[in-house]
Amino acid sequence: MEEYKFDIDAQGNVSSERELSEQERDSKLGEVRRLIADETTPPHKIKRLIAEEMAAISMLMIKYGNDVNIIEGMKVKVYETQIKSLRELGKEIMEADTLSHKDFLNMDGKKFKFVMGKWMDGFKEAMKSAKLDETTSNSILNHFRDIMSSTEDEVRREVEKLDKK
């Protein structure tokens, strides 16, 4: 059944406007989905569209909330579920944004160990180029290894703090 909104102005003129059904209302979900797929879209723009969608659904909840009809009451329940889903979507967007800016460093990983090995090779090559004898080079490498081993826990703690900033 179509619903109309009637307005009567001060002169007694009547105007009417057909209210949009649930199916006709301007949902923002299509646009939200499109923007989520676009990695360059900042999260605040997506969150704003989600907020608009939640506001539209909230208006429908208010409209049908006072109706004693069982069917209308069931609509309100469906709207509540939609609101919860939109909240979760907003949380997911913020979490994805946070993860996209997180700087991962796996100090126990293969890549990190590979890079450290290459740096050590470069360090050894630099000592050869500086004409250091093998005994001196080995002594420097041993001291370096001991220093790095003794500070490993502190370095790991400091790296973890960087993620929290």
Side-chain angles (χ1 to χ4, degrees), residues 32-70:
V32 167
R33 189 170 176 199
R34 187 186 69 73
L35 292 176
I36 288 172
D38 179 7
E39 294 180 14
T40 63
T41 302
H44 72 274
K45 287 188 177 184
I46 301 170
K47 292 278 285 183
R48 180 176 296 280
L49 286 174
I50 290 171
E52 286 183 47
E53 184 73 7
M54 290 171 75
I57 292 170
S58 295
M59 289 173 63
L60 290 170
M61 288 173 68
I62 291 168
K63 176 180 177 181
Y64 295 116
N66 295 327
D67 201 326
V68 292
N69 184 340
I70 291 175

PDB file of all heavy atoms in Angstrom, residues 32-70:
ATOM      1  N   VAL A  32      28.882   2.449  -0.746  1.00  0.00           N
ATOM      2  CA  VAL A  32      29.811   1.993   0.297  1.00  0.00           C
ATOM      3  C   VAL A  32      30.665   0.851  -0.253  1.00  0.00           C
ATOM      4  O   VAL A  32      31.893   0.855  -0.125  1.00  0.00           O
ATOM      5  CB  VAL A  32      29.050   1.542   1.564  1.00  0.00           C
ATOM      6  CG1 VAL A  32      29.951   0.783   2.515  1.00  0.00           C
ATOM      7  CG2 VAL A  32      28.426   2.740   2.260  1.00  0.00           C
ATOM      8  N   ARG A  33      30.019  -0.092  -0.869  1.00  0.00           N
ATOM      9  CA  ARG A  33      30.736  -1.258  -1.418  1.00  0.00           C
ATOM     10  C   ARG A  33      31.745  -0.831  -2.483  1.00  0.00           C
ATOM     11  O   ARG A  33      32.867  -1.326  -2.530  1.00  0.00           O
ATOM     12  CB  ARG A  33      29.720  -2.229  -1.986  1.00  0.00           C
ATOM     13  CG  ARG A  33      30.312  -3.534  -2.362  1.00  0.00           C
ATOM     14  CD  ARG A  33      29.227  -4.528  -2.696  1.00  0.00           C
ATOM     15  NE  ARG A  33      29.854  -5.746  -3.156  1.00  0.00           N
ATOM     16  CZ  ARG A  33      29.240  -6.663  -3.840  1.00  0.00           C
ATOM     17  NH1 ARG A  33      27.967  -6.531  -4.126  1.00  0.00           N
ATOM     18  NH2 ARG A  33      29.865  -7.728  -4.231  1.00  0.00           N
ATOM     19  N   ARG A  34      31.346   0.095  -3.346  1.00  0.00           N
ATOM     20  CA  ARG A  34      32.245   0.578  -4.392  1.00  0.00           C
ATOM     21  C   ARG A  34      33.473   1.265  -3.778  1.00  0.00           C
ATOM     22  O   ARG A  34      34.602   1.040  -4.206  1.00  0.00           O
ATOM     23  CB  ARG A  34      31.502   1.548  -5.314  1.00  0.00           C
ATOM     24  CG  ARG A  34      32.308   1.971  -6.546  1.00  0.00           C
ATOM     25  CD  ARG A  34      31.595   3.033  -7.362  1.00  0.00           C
ATOM     26  NE  ARG A  34      31.514   4.324  -6.705  1.00  0.00           N
ATOM     27  CZ  ARG A  34      32.535   5.156  -6.534  1.00  0.00           C
ATOM     28  NH1 ARG A  34      33.735   4.829  -6.930  1.00  0.00           N
ATOM     29  NH2 ARG A  34      32.374   6.315  -5.922  1.00  0.00           N
ATOM     30  N   LEU A  35      33.247   2.070  -2.755  1.00  0.00           N
ATOM     31  CA  LEU A  35      34.355   2.789  -2.127  1.00  0.00           C
ATOM     32  C   LEU A  35      35.270   1.854  -1.342  1.00  0.00           C
ATOM     33  O   LEU A  35      36.481   2.085  -1.264  1.00  0.00           O
ATOM     34  CB  LEU A  35      33.821   3.904  -1.224  1.00  0.00           C
ATOM     35  CG  LEU A  35      33.143   5.054  -1.969  1.00  0.00           C
ATOM     36  CD1 LEU A  35      32.574   6.061  -0.978  1.00  0.00           C
ATOM     37  CD2 LEU A  35      34.080   5.725  -2.945  1.00  0.00           C
ATOM     38  N   ILE A  36      34.709   0.813  -0.744  1.00  0.00           N
ATOM     39  CA  ILE A  36      35.539  -0.167  -0.028  1.00  0.00           C
ATOM     40  C   ILE A  36      36.507  -0.822  -1.006  1.00  0.00           C
ATOM     41  O   ILE A  36      37.675  -1.045  -0.687  1.00  0.00           O
ATOM     42  CB  ILE A  36      34.666  -1.225   0.675  1.00  0.00           C
ATOM     43  CG1 ILE A  36      33.953  -0.607   1.871  1.00  0.00           C
ATOM     44  CG2 ILE A  36      35.511  -2.417   1.120  1.00  0.00           C
ATOM     45  CD1 ILE A  36      32.921  -1.528   2.508  1.00  0.00           C
ATOM     46  N   ALA A  37      36.037  -1.110  -2.207  1.00  0.00           N
ATOM     47  CA  ALA A  37      36.880  -1.757  -3.214  1.00  0.00           C
ATOM     48  C   ALA A  37      37.985  -0.830  -3.716  1.00  0.00           C
ATOM     49  O   ALA A  37      39.025  -1.296  -4.188  1.00  0.00           O
ATOM     50  CB  ALA A  37      36.024  -2.233  -4.390  1.00  0.00           C
ATOM     51  N   ASP A  38      37.792   0.475  -3.580  1.00  0.00           N
ATOM     52  CA  ASP A  38      38.784   1.451  -4.020  1.00  0.00           C
ATOM     53  C   ASP A  38      39.747   1.731  -2.862  1.00  0.00           C
ATOM     54  O   ASP A  38      39.390   2.407  -1.908  1.00  0.00           O
ATOM     55  CB  ASP A  38      38.090   2.733  -4.458  1.00  0.00           C
ATOM     56  CG  ASP A  38      39.057   3.811  -4.912  1.00  0.00           C
ATOM     57  OD1 ASP A  38      40.270   3.538  -5.027  1.00  0.00           O
ATOM     58  OD2 ASP A  38      38.594   4.942  -5.144  1.00  0.00           O
ATOM     59  N   GLU A  39      40.957   1.218  -2.974  1.00  0.00           N
ATOM     60  CA  GLU A  39      41.930   1.337  -1.872  1.00  0.00           C
ATOM     61  C   GLU A  39      42.343   2.773  -1.583  1.00  0.00           C
ATOM     62  O   GLU A  39      42.892   3.055  -0.523  1.00  0.00           O
ATOM     63  CB  GLU A  39      43.165   0.501  -2.184  1.00  0.00           C
ATOM     64  CG  GLU A  39      42.893  -0.980  -2.214  1.00  0.00           C
ATOM     65  CD  GLU A  39      44.131  -1.801  -2.531  1.00  0.00           C
ATOM     66  OE1 GLU A  39      45.257  -1.253  -2.477  1.00  0.00           O
ATOM     67  OE2 GLU A  39      43.982  -2.987  -2.817  1.00  0.00           O
ATOM     68  N   THR A  40      42.089   3.682  -2.517  1.00  0.00           N
ATOM     69  CA  THR A  40      42.502   5.068  -2.307  1.00  0.00           C
ATOM     70  C   THR A  40      41.475   5.882  -1.529  1.00  0.00           C
ATOM     71  O   THR A  40      41.758   7.003  -1.124  1.00  0.00           O
ATOM     72  CB  THR A  40      42.768   5.766  -3.662  1.00  0.00           C
ATOM     73  OG1 THR A  40      41.539   5.794  -4.412  1.00  0.00           O
ATOM     74  CG2 THR A  40      43.845   5.039  -4.446  1.00  0.00           C
ATOM     75  N   THR A  41      40.285   5.320  -1.319  1.00  0.00           N
ATOM     76  CA  THR A  41      39.242   6.060  -0.596  1.00  0.00           C
ATOM     77  C   THR A  41      39.552   6.075   0.891  1.00  0.00           C
ATOM     78  O   THR A  41      39.731   5.030   1.500  1.00  0.00           O
ATOM     79  CB  THR A  41      37.859   5.405  -0.813  1.00  0.00           C
ATOM     80  OG1 THR A  41      37.583   5.362  -2.205  1.00  0.00           O
ATOM     81  CG2 THR A  41      36.777   6.196  -0.105  1.00  0.00           C
ATOM     82  N   PRO A  42      39.614   7.258   1.489  1.00  0.00           N
ATOM     83  CA  PRO A  42      39.868   7.326   2.927  1.00  0.00           C
ATOM     84  C   PRO A  42      38.686   6.766   3.722  1.00  0.00           C
ATOM     85  O   PRO A  42      37.530   6.938   3.319  1.00  0.00           O
ATOM     86  CB  PRO A  42      40.063   8.818   3.203  1.00  0.00           C
ATOM     87  CG  PRO A  42      39.631   9.537   1.991  1.00  0.00           C
ATOM     88  CD  PRO A  42      39.508   8.571   0.867  1.00  0.00           C
ATOM     89  N   PRO A  43      38.973   6.102   4.836  1.00  0.00           N
ATOM     90  CA  PRO A  43      37.911   5.474   5.628  1.00  0.00           C
ATOM     91  C   PRO A  43      36.826   6.435   6.094  1.00  0.00           C
ATOM     92  O   PRO A  43      35.666   6.055   6.198  1.00  0.00           O
ATOM     93  CB  PRO A  43      38.645   4.887   6.825  1.00  0.00           C
ATOM     94  CG  PRO A  43      40.052   4.788   6.412  1.00  0.00           C
ATOM     95  CD  PRO A  43      40.289   5.840   5.380  1.00  0.00           C
ATOM     96  N   HIS A  44      37.179   7.695   6.362  1.00  0.00           N
ATOM     97  CA  HIS A  44      36.163   8.615   6.882  1.00  0.00           C
ATOM     98  C   HIS A  44      35.041   8.856   5.870  1.00  0.00           C
ATOM     99  O   HIS A  44      33.897   9.069   6.264  1.00  0.00           O
ATOM    100  CB  HIS A  44      36.790   9.941   7.332  1.00  0.00           C
ATOM    101  CG  HIS A  44      37.251  10.832   6.220  1.00  0.00           C
ATOM    102  ND1 HIS A  44      38.497  10.709   5.643  1.00  0.00           N
ATOM    103  CD2 HIS A  44      36.619  11.838   5.575  1.00  0.00           C
ATOM    104  CE1 HIS A  44      38.615  11.619   4.695  1.00  0.00           C
ATOM    105  NE2 HIS A  44      37.490  12.311   4.621  1.00  0.00           N
ATOM    106  N   LYS A  45      35.344   8.786   4.584  1.00  0.00           N
ATOM    107  CA  LYS A  45      34.286   8.958   3.581  1.00  0.00           C
ATOM    108  C   LYS A  45      33.333   7.770   3.602  1.00  0.00           C
ATOM    109  O   LYS A  45      32.119   7.934   3.490  1.00  0.00           O
ATOM    110  CB  LYS A  45      34.893   9.124   2.189  1.00  0.00           C
ATOM    111  CG  LYS A  45      35.554  10.461   1.983  1.00  0.00           C
ATOM    112  CD  LYS A  45      35.975  10.659   0.553  1.00  0.00           C
ATOM    113  CE  LYS A  45      36.558  12.064   0.400  1.00  0.00           C
ATOM    114  NZ  LYS A  45      36.898  12.352  -0.983  1.00  0.00           N
ATOM    115  N   ILE A  46      33.881   6.582   3.746  1.00  0.00           N
ATOM    116  CA  ILE A  46      33.049   5.379   3.802  1.00  0.00           C
ATOM    117  C   ILE A  46      32.212   5.391   5.080  1.00  0.00           C
ATOM    118  O   ILE A  46      31.020   5.083   5.063  1.00  0.00           O
ATOM    119  CB  ILE A  46      33.918   4.112   3.714  1.00  0.00           C
ATOM    120  CG1 ILE A  46      34.722   4.104   2.412  1.00  0.00           C
ATOM    121  CG2 ILE A  46      33.063   2.858   3.817  1.00  0.00           C
ATOM    122  CD1 ILE A  46      35.786   3.036   2.338  1.00  0.00           C
ATOM    123  N   LYS A  47      32.840   5.762   6.184  1.00  0.00           N
ATOM    124  CA  LYS A  47      32.122   5.806   7.468  1.00  0.00           C
ATOM    125  C   LYS A  47      30.971   6.819   7.414  1.00  0.00           C
ATOM    126  O   LYS A  47      29.922   6.594   8.002  1.00  0.00           O
ATOM    127  CB  LYS A  47      33.084   6.166   8.602  1.00  0.00           C
ATOM    128  CG  LYS A  47      34.120   5.108   8.918  1.00  0.00           C
ATOM    129  CD  LYS A  47      33.574   4.039   9.795  1.00  0.00           C
ATOM    130  CE  LYS A  47      33.448   4.545  11.214  1.00  0.00           C
ATOM    131  NZ  LYS A  47      32.986   3.539  12.132  1.00  0.00           N
ATOM    132  N   ARG A  48      31.161   7.918   6.708  1.00  0.00           N
ATOM    133  CA  ARG A  48      30.095   8.916   6.586  1.00  0.00           C
ATOM    134  C   ARG A  48      28.901   8.318   5.842  1.00  0.00           C
ATOM    135  O   ARG A  48      27.746   8.506   6.239  1.00  0.00           O
ATOM    136  CB  ARG A  48      30.582  10.167   5.864  1.00  0.00           C
ATOM    137  CG  ARG A  48      29.505  11.235   5.713  1.00  0.00           C
ATOM    138  CD  ARG A  48      30.027  12.495   5.098  1.00  0.00           C
ATOM    139  NE  ARG A  48      31.016  13.153   5.908  1.00  0.00           N
ATOM    140  CZ  ARG A  48      30.744  13.919   6.964  1.00  0.00           C
ATOM    141  NH1 ARG A  48      29.503  14.102   7.331  1.00  0.00           N
ATOM    142  NH2 ARG A  48      31.709  14.489   7.645  1.00  0.00           N
ATOM    143  N   LEU A  49      29.148   7.570   4.759  1.00  0.00           N
ATOM    144  CA  LEU A  49      28.053   6.932   4.027  1.00  0.00           C
ATOM    145  C   LEU A  49      27.355   5.881   4.884  1.00  0.00           C
ATOM    146  O   LEU A  49      26.124   5.741   4.831  1.00  0.00           O
ATOM    147  CB  LEU A  49      28.579   6.291   2.739  1.00  0.00           C
ATOM    148  CG  LEU A  49      28.933   7.258   1.608  1.00  0.00           C
ATOM    149  CD1 LEU A  49      29.566   6.506   0.452  1.00  0.00           C
ATOM    150  CD2 LEU A  49      27.700   8.005   1.140  1.00  0.00           C
ATOM    151  N   ILE A  50      28.131   5.155   5.670  1.00  0.00           N
ATOM    152  CA  ILE A  50      27.532   4.168   6.581  1.00  0.00           C
ATOM    153  C   ILE A  50      26.641   4.885   7.594  1.00  0.00           C
ATOM    154  O   ILE A  50      25.537   4.431   7.892  1.00  0.00           O
ATOM    155  CB  ILE A  50      28.625   3.327   7.275  1.00  0.00           C
ATOM    156  CG1 ILE A  50      29.292   2.400   6.256  1.00  0.00           C
ATOM    157  CG2 ILE A  50      28.048   2.519   8.436  1.00  0.00           C
ATOM    158  CD1 ILE A  50      30.514   1.677   6.772  1.00  0.00           C
ATOM    159  N   ALA A  51      27.106   6.026   8.086  1.00  0.00           N
ATOM    160  CA  ALA A  51      26.304   6.802   9.044  1.00  0.00           C
ATOM    161  C   ALA A  51      25.007   7.292   8.384  1.00  0.00           C
ATOM    162  O   ALA A  51      23.942   7.279   9.021  1.00  0.00           O
ATOM    163  CB  ALA A  51      27.111   7.981   9.571  1.00  0.00           C
ATOM    164  N   GLU A  52      25.086   7.705   7.119  1.00  0.00           N
ATOM    165  CA  GLU A  52      23.876   8.122   6.408  1.00  0.00           C
ATOM    166  C   GLU A  52      22.899   6.960   6.286  1.00  0.00           C
ATOM    167  O   GLU A  52      21.687   7.137   6.472  1.00  0.00           O
ATOM    168  CB  GLU A  52      24.225   8.649   5.015  1.00  0.00           C
ATOM    169  CG  GLU A  52      24.854  10.022   4.999  1.00  0.00           C
ATOM    170  CD  GLU A  52      25.104  10.496   3.575  1.00  0.00           C
ATOM    171  OE1 GLU A  52      24.197  10.384   2.726  1.00  0.00           O
ATOM    172  OE2 GLU A  52      26.209  10.984   3.312  1.00  0.00           O
ATOM    173  N   GLU A  53      23.420   5.789   5.966  1.00  0.00           N
ATOM    174  CA  GLU A  53      22.577   4.600   5.835  1.00  0.00           C
ATOM    175  C   GLU A  53      21.933   4.259   7.176  1.00  0.00           C
ATOM    176  O   GLU A  53      20.741   3.936   7.248  1.00  0.00           O
ATOM    177  CB  GLU A  53      23.418   3.424   5.320  1.00  0.00           C
ATOM    178  CG  GLU A  53      22.632   2.180   5.060  1.00  0.00           C
ATOM    179  CD  GLU A  53      21.759   2.240   3.818  1.00  0.00           C
ATOM    180  OE1 GLU A  53      21.832   3.213   3.051  1.00  0.00           O
ATOM    181  OE2 GLU A  53      20.975   1.297   3.637  1.00  0.00           O
ATOM    182  N   MET A  54      22.707   4.359   8.243  1.00  0.00           N
ATOM    183  CA  MET A  54      22.167   4.081   9.578  1.00  0.00           C
ATOM    184  C   MET A  54      21.090   5.092   9.952  1.00  0.00           C
ATOM    185  O   MET A  54      20.075   4.732  10.555  1.00  0.00           O
ATOM    186  CB  MET A  54      23.303   4.077  10.612  1.00  0.00           C
ATOM    187  CG  MET A  54      24.233   2.886  10.455  1.00  0.00           C
ATOM    188  SD  MET A  54      25.724   2.985  11.475  1.00  0.00           S
ATOM    189  CE  MET A  54      25.056   2.611  13.089  1.00  0.00           C
ATOM    190  N   ALA A  55      21.292   6.345   9.580  1.00  0.00           N
ATOM    191  CA  ALA A  55      20.289   7.376   9.875  1.00  0.00           C
ATOM    192  C   ALA A  55      18.991   7.092   9.117  1.00  0.00           C
ATOM    193  O   ALA A  55      17.896   7.218   9.680  1.00  0.00           O
ATOM    194  CB  ALA A  55      20.834   8.754   9.511  1.00  0.00           C
ATOM    195  N   ALA A  56      19.103   6.686   7.861  1.00  0.00           N
ATOM    196  CA  ALA A  56      17.900   6.371   7.076  1.00  0.00           C
ATOM    197  C   ALA A  56      17.154   5.195   7.689  1.00  0.00           C
ATOM    198  O   ALA A  56      15.913   5.216   7.797  1.00  0.00           O
ATOM    199  CB  ALA A  56      18.287   6.069   5.627  1.00  0.00           C
ATOM    200  N   ILE A  57      17.883   4.192   8.105  1.00  0.00           N
ATOM    201  CA  ILE A  57      17.247   3.024   8.722  1.00  0.00           C
ATOM    202  C   ILE A  57      16.629   3.416  10.066  1.00  0.00           C
ATOM    203  O   ILE A  57      15.525   2.980  10.404  1.00  0.00           O
ATOM    204  CB  ILE A  57      18.262   1.872   8.875  1.00  0.00           C
ATOM    205  CG1 ILE A  57      18.650   1.344   7.496  1.00  0.00           C
ATOM    206  CG2 ILE A  57      17.699   0.751   9.738  1.00  0.00           C
ATOM    207  CD1 ILE A  57      19.822   0.372   7.498  1.00  0.00           C
ATOM    208  N   SER A  58      17.309   4.262  10.814  1.00  0.00           N
ATOM    209  CA  SER A  58      16.774   4.721  12.099  1.00  0.00           C
ATOM    210  C   SER A  58      15.461   5.475  11.909  1.00  0.00           C
ATOM    211  O   SER A  58      14.528   5.331  12.718  1.00  0.00           O
ATOM    212  CB  SER A  58      17.788   5.614  12.809  1.00  0.00           C
ATOM    213  OG  SER A  58      18.939   4.872  13.144  1.00  0.00           O
ATOM    214  N   MET A  59      15.388   6.257  10.839  1.00  0.00           N
ATOM    215  CA  MET A  59      14.139   6.970  10.567  1.00  0.00           C
ATOM    216  C   MET A  59      13.003   5.979  10.298  1.00  0.00           C
ATOM    217  O   MET A  59      11.872   6.179  10.751  1.00  0.00           O
ATOM    218  CB  MET A  59      14.329   7.921   9.382  1.00  0.00           C
ATOM    219  CG  MET A  59      15.203   9.130   9.715  1.00  0.00           C
ATOM    220  SD  MET A  59      15.596  10.152   8.290  1.00  0.00           S
ATOM    221  CE  MET A  59      13.983  10.707   7.813  1.00  0.00           C
ATOM    222  N   LEU A  60      13.304   4.924   9.579  1.00  0.00           N
ATOM    223  CA  LEU A  60      12.285   3.901   9.322  1.00  0.00           C
ATOM    224  C   LEU A  60      11.892   3.187  10.609  1.00  0.00           C
ATOM    225  O   LEU A  60      10.726   2.853  10.812  1.00  0.00           O
ATOM    226  CB  LEU A  60      12.791   2.894   8.287  1.00  0.00           C
ATOM    227  CG  LEU A  60      12.919   3.431   6.858  1.00  0.00           C
ATOM    228  CD1 LEU A  60      13.668   2.432   5.975  1.00  0.00           C
ATOM    229  CD2 LEU A  60      11.555   3.753   6.283  1.00  0.00           C
ATOM    230  N   MET A  61      12.870   2.973  11.482  1.00  0.00           N
ATOM    231  CA  MET A  61      12.574   2.333  12.765  1.00  0.00           C
ATOM    232  C   MET A  61      11.618   3.194  13.579  1.00  0.00           C
ATOM    233  O   MET A  61      10.690   2.686  14.208  1.00  0.00           O
ATOM    234  CB  MET A  61      13.869   2.078  13.553  1.00  0.00           C
ATOM    235  CG  MET A  61      14.720   0.971  12.979  1.00  0.00           C
ATOM    236  SD  MET A  61      16.316   0.819  13.801  1.00  0.00           S
ATOM    237  CE  MET A  61      15.829   0.231  15.409  1.00  0.00           C
ATOM    238  N   ILE A  62      11.849   4.490  13.571  1.00  0.00           N
ATOM    239  CA  ILE A  62      10.963   5.400  14.301  1.00  0.00           C
ATOM    240  C   ILE A  62       9.575   5.379  13.678  1.00  0.00           C
ATOM    241  O   ILE A  62       8.565   5.322  14.383  1.00  0.00           O
ATOM    242  CB  ILE A  62      11.544   6.829  14.313  1.00  0.00           C
ATOM    243  CG1 ILE A  62      12.804   6.860  15.190  1.00  0.00           C
ATOM    244  CG2 ILE A  62      10.511   7.846  14.785  1.00  0.00           C
ATOM    245  CD1 ILE A  62      13.621   8.123  15.060  1.00  0.00           C
ATOM    246  N   LYS A  63       9.539   5.381  12.347  1.00  0.00           N
ATOM    247  CA  LYS A  63       8.261   5.385  11.649  1.00  0.00           C
ATOM    248  C   LYS A  63       7.417   4.171  12.024  1.00  0.00           C
ATOM    249  O   LYS A  63       6.223   4.285  12.280  1.00  0.00           O
ATOM    250  CB  LYS A  63       8.511   5.405  10.137  1.00  0.00           C
ATOM    251  CG  LYS A  63       7.261   5.316   9.298  1.00  0.00           C
ATOM    252  CD  LYS A  63       7.618   5.335   7.825  1.00  0.00           C
ATOM    253  CE  LYS A  63       6.380   5.162   6.967  1.00  0.00           C
ATOM    254  NZ  LYS A  63       6.709   5.163   5.544  1.00  0.00           N
ATOM    255  N   TYR A  64       8.045   3.000  12.053  1.00  0.00           N
ATOM    256  CA  TYR A  64       7.302   1.776  12.314  1.00  0.00           C
ATOM    257  C   TYR A  64       7.339   1.351  13.783  1.00  0.00           C
ATOM    258  O   TYR A  64       6.647   0.425  14.167  1.00  0.00           O
ATOM    259  CB  TYR A  64       7.833   0.633  11.440  1.00  0.00           C
ATOM    260  CG  TYR A  64       7.611   0.881   9.975  1.00  0.00           C
ATOM    261  CD1 TYR A  64       8.676   1.036   9.110  1.00  0.00           C
ATOM    262  CD2 TYR A  64       6.322   0.961   9.460  1.00  0.00           C
ATOM    263  CE1 TYR A  64       8.476   1.262   7.758  1.00  0.00           C
ATOM    264  CE2 TYR A  64       6.108   1.189   8.112  1.00  0.00           C
ATOM    265  CZ  TYR A  64       7.187   1.340   7.259  1.00  0.00           C
ATOM    266  OH  TYR A  64       6.979   1.553   5.938  1.00  0.00           O
ATOM    267  N   GLY A  65       8.125   2.022  14.587  1.00  0.00           N
ATOM    268  CA  GLY A  65       8.289   1.628  15.984  1.00  0.00           C
ATOM    269  C   GLY A  65       7.043   1.749  16.830  1.00  0.00           C
ATOM    270  O   GLY A  65       6.835   0.981  17.758  1.00  0.00           O
ATOM    271  N   ASN A  66       6.193   2.711  16.539  1.00  0.00           N
ATOM    272  CA  ASN A  66       4.985   2.928  17.339  1.00  0.00           C
ATOM    273  C   ASN A  66       3.784   2.159  16.808  1.00  0.00           C
ATOM    274  O   ASN A  66       2.708   2.206  17.389  1.00  0.00           O
ATOM    275  CB  ASN A  66       4.653   4.427  17.386  1.00  0.00           C
ATOM    276  CG  ASN A  66       5.739   5.192  18.106  1.00  0.00           C
ATOM    277  OD1 ASN A  66       6.355   4.680  19.029  1.00  0.00           O
ATOM    278  ND2 ASN A  66       6.000   6.410  17.657  1.00  0.00           N
ATOM    279  N   ASP A  67       3.959   1.479  15.691  1.00  0.00           N
ATOM    280  CA  ASP A  67       2.855   0.736  15.073  1.00  0.00           C
ATOM    281  C   ASP A  67       2.650  -0.578  15.822  1.00  0.00           C
ATOM    282  O   ASP A  67       3.593  -1.293  16.131  1.00  0.00           O
ATOM    283  CB  ASP A  67       3.199   0.464  13.605  1.00  0.00           C
ATOM    284  CG  ASP A  67       1.969   0.183  12.780  1.00  0.00           C
ATOM    285  OD1 ASP A  67       1.024  -0.410  13.322  1.00  0.00           O
ATOM    286  OD2 ASP A  67       1.962   0.552  11.596  1.00  0.00           O
ATOM    287  N   VAL A  68       1.412  -0.897  16.108  1.00  0.00           N
ATOM    288  CA  VAL A  68       1.114  -2.123  16.851  1.00  0.00           C
ATOM    289  C   VAL A  68       0.963  -3.326  15.920  1.00  0.00           C
ATOM    290  O   VAL A  68       0.843  -4.454  16.375  1.00  0.00           O
ATOM    291  CB  VAL A  68      -0.169  -1.969  17.701  1.00  0.00           C
ATOM    292  CG1 VAL A  68       0.070  -0.982  18.811  1.00  0.00           C
ATOM    293  CG2 VAL A  68      -1.360  -1.566  16.845  1.00  0.00           C
ATOM    294  N   ASN A  69       0.982  -3.101  14.637  1.00  0.00           N
ATOM    295  CA  ASN A  69       0.862  -4.164  13.654  1.00  0.00           C
ATOM    296  C   ASN A  69       2.074  -5.093  13.765  1.00  0.00           C
ATOM    297  O   ASN A  69       3.211  -4.648  13.842  1.00  0.00           O
ATOM    298  CB  ASN A  69       0.792  -3.529  12.256  1.00  0.00           C
ATOM    299  CG  ASN A  69       0.583  -4.529  11.158  1.00  0.00           C
ATOM    300  OD1 ASN A  69       0.832  -5.717  11.318  1.00  0.00           O
ATOM    301  ND2 ASN A  69       0.137  -4.026  10.021  1.00  0.00           N
ATOM    302  N   ILE A  70       1.862  -6.396  13.780  1.00  0.00           N
ATOM    303  CA  ILE A  70       2.947  -7.376  13.928  1.00  0.00           C
ATOM    304  C   ILE A  70       3.938  -7.277  12.776  1.00  0.00           C
ATOM    305  O   ILE A  70       5.153  -7.338  12.986  1.00  0.00           O
ATOM    306  CB  ILE A  70       2.375  -8.803  14.034  1.00  0.00           C
ATOM    307  CG1 ILE A  70       1.639  -8.957  15.351  1.00  0.00           C
ATOM    308  CG2 ILE A  70       3.470  -9.849  13.892  1.00  0.00           C
ATOM    309  CD1 ILE A  70       0.939 -10.279  15.520  1.00  0.00           C
TER     310      ILE A  70
END
